Amino acid sequence: MEEKPRTLLLVDDEANVLSALTRLFRSEGYSVIRAGGGQEGLAALSRQAVQVVISDQRMPGMTGVEFLRKVKASYPDTVRIVLSGYTDLQSITDAINEGAIYKFMTKPWNDEELKAVIAEAFVVHEALSNHEQQMQELVHKAEHDAMYMENLIAQAESTDKLNLQLLTMVQEMVELMPVPLLGISSEGEIMLVNRAGSSAFGVSASPGSPASRCLPESVLATMSGDWPTGAGTYVTAPDLEGRLRRFFVARLGRWSHADGYCVLLGETDEWMPKPSNRG
């Protein structure tokens, strides 16, 4: 990125002072703009970017402090300095305290001291400008991150809504299935039972109850075996009332994070899916 020239605005109603200061600072490589009073200085600032302003205090029409207050209001990034032989200590102290003036220096000046102060003023301006740029970048990043998060939240809300609709549909489908169905945790606790299951197994198959209350030992033994998720098998065994029934047992977790078993109960094999191979 191309560096901006260091530009200095000199405001003084004495032409000889302006000439002396111009020679001094141009020898330092600064771009120098001259103005004979406050209004002329404001007009110059409206036309060109300036980093440092030096103003006399006692000028006709507008004092240096009044001028620099206006500069601060319209161009707050400038570094503002009073260079004057007239010392109205109260007004200058007030201006320094409110931030309108960075430094106050007296006439006649020492060239080396004044050059050092102006060099420091440009460094201060550049540091403030870099800080402001960094803050703007941080604000821009924060705004970008906020928009990104809003989009993520909107997508998540949309996905949650869809998942909720899907879950509600699945729950209703399971409930309406004419086949008794149990969902059993890996610890052997009944987690889900549909309407047909409640009718077939009775109150012993309520959620939270142990599966051992409603399933025969051979089915429980099958569930305790070590077999892969997604695998299923048939078990023919008498139910708790002594009737020979056909149980289909499947290990959950292949397409979800569920860790448990699904048990279906039937009278015949007609409705049963073909069991997958175990192992």
Side-chain angles (χ1 to χ4, degrees):
M1 184 174 63
E2 184 179 354
E3 293 186 3
K4 295 180 180 179
R6 287 183 166 184
T7 304
L8 175 66
L9 173 62
L10 305 175
V11 182
D12 200 303
D13 61 323
E14 297 183 38
N16 60 327
V17 172
L18 287 178
S19 297
L21 291 174
T22 299
R23 288 192 300 271
L24 177 65
F25 292 120
R26 280 182 177 166
S27 67
E28 295 297 302
Y30 302 132
S31 175
V32 178
I33 303 173
R34 300 161 42 142
Q39 291 296 342
E40 188 178 338
L42 293 173
L45 286 168
S46 69
R47 295 190 299 267
Q48 186 170 346
V50 170
Q51 293 85 44
V52 179
V53 180
I54 302 177
S55 176
D56 186 23
Q57 167 62 7
R58 196 170 189 176
M59 298 182 295
M62 184 186 304
T63 67
V65 168
E66 291 171 343
F67 163 66
L68 292 178
R69 283 196 177 107
K70 293 179 182 291
V71 173
K72 179 191 175 185
S74 300
Y75 309 96
D77 293 341
T78 58
V79 180
R80 300 164 295 275
I81 298 171
V82 169
L83 177 64
S84 179
Y86 173 76
T87 55
D88 178 359
L89 294 180
Q90 187 59 53
S91 63
I92 292 174
T93 300
D94 291 343
I96 292 174
N97 290 338
E98 68 187 45
I101 297 175
Y102 169 65
K103 280 193 176 180
F104 170 76
M105 301 192 69
T106 59
K107 296 177 181 176
W109 62 86
N110 176 281
D111 283 355
E112 296 305 317
E113 181 181 351
L114 184 56
K115 287 192 293 185
V117 168
I118 299 308
E120 177 187 283
F122 278 106
V123 171
V124 168
H125 178 274
E126 288 160 6
L128 292 174
S129 297
N130 290 336
H131 177 70
E132 182 179 357
Q133 182 178 356
Q134 291 171 357
M135 290 301 295
Q136 289 175 349
E137 290 174 354
L138 289 174
V139 169
H140 178 72
K141 184 177 185 303
E143 291 174 346
H144 178 271
D145 290 347
M147 291 179 61
Y148 177 70
M149 289 303 298
E150 287 177 2
N151 290 334
L152 284 183
I153 291 171
Q155 292 174 9
E157 289 176 346
S158 176
T159 301
D160 288 345
K161 183 178 180 181
L162 181 62
N163 288 340
L164 180 60
Q165 291 175 342
L166 179 60
L167 177 61
T168 303
M169 181 181 293
V170 170
Q171 287 175 333
E172 185 171 357
M173 291 169 60
V174 169
E175 189 66 21
L176 294 176
M177 285 175 61
V179 179
L181 180 147
L182 295 177
I184 302 172
S185 71
S186 58
E187 290 78 20
E189 183 178 304
I190 295 175
M191 305 299 293
L192 179 147
V193 57
N194 67 352
R195 185 166 54 186
S198 296
S199 176
F201 294 107
V203 294
S204 60
S206 59
S209 300
S212 58
R213 290 185 180 180
C214 60
L215 294 177
E217 288 294 334
S218 56
V219 174
L220 295 173
T222 300
M223 290 168 49
S224 65
D226 185 16
W227 43 312
T229 60
T233 189
Y234 290 115
V235 179
T236 301
D239 62 18
L240 297 185
E241 295 180 358
R243 294 177 298 173
L244 194 65
R245 306 295 291 268
R246 186 76 157 165
F247 296 86
F248 178 75
V249 184
R251 177 75 183 275
L252 303 177
R254 184 173 181 179
W255 294 282
S256 69
H257 296 293
D259 185 14
Y261 303 87
C262 174
V263 178
L264 305 178
L265 174 63
E267 299 286 351
T268 69
D269 294 348
E270 294 178 359
W271 58 271
M272 292 288 187
K274 292 182 179 180
S276 58
N277 294 327
R278 290 178 53 181

